[in-house]
Amino acid sequence: MGNVTLNVNGMSCGHCVKSIEGSVGSLDGVEQVKVDLSSGKVNVEFNDEKVTLEKIKETIDDQGYDVK
């Protein structure tokens, strides 16, 4: 099981939170996604045998946000 906190730039509202939580949360192997809008951080718990960290970052990037 993996757990990572990513710094994500470009999030500014509730829609951003729902967009990221929905897209990342729908990936097979992602157990939990929590977005902290005020700090610009996204915490993801995932099964690293089913989904890679790169796939998670790519999914956030595809939503139009900059992942650090």
Side-chain angles (χ1 to χ4, degrees), residues 27-30 46-56:
L27 292 173
D28 185 35
V30 172
F46 62 101
N47 181 336
D48 50 13
E49 293 180 5
K50 291 187 175 182
V51 66
T52 64
L53 177 57
E54 285 307 312
K55 179 63 178 171
I56 293 168

Side-chain angles (χ1 to χ4, degrees), residues 2-68:
N3 190 348
V4 66
T5 300
L6 302 169
N7 292 313
V8 179
N9 293 330
M11 301 185 299
S12 61
C13 63
H15 174 74
C16 301
V17 172
K18 287 183 180 183
S19 176
I20 291 174
E21 288 181 346
S23 61
V24 174
S26 68
L27 292 173
D28 185 35
V30 172
E31 304 293 326
Q32 185 174 348
V33 183
K34 287 188 179 177
V35 175
D36 185 342
L37 195 58
S38 62
S39 68
K41 295 190 184 299
V42 177
N43 184 273
V44 185
E45 281 184 39
F46 62 101
N47 181 336
D48 50 13
E49 293 180 5
K50 291 187 175 182
V51 66
T52 64
L53 177 57
E54 285 307 312
K55 179 63 178 171
I56 293 168
K57 288 181 177 180
E58 180 183 303
T59 300
I60 295 172
D61 188 62
D62 286 349
Q63 294 298 312
Y65 305 101
D66 184 28
V67 182
K68 299 287 182 188

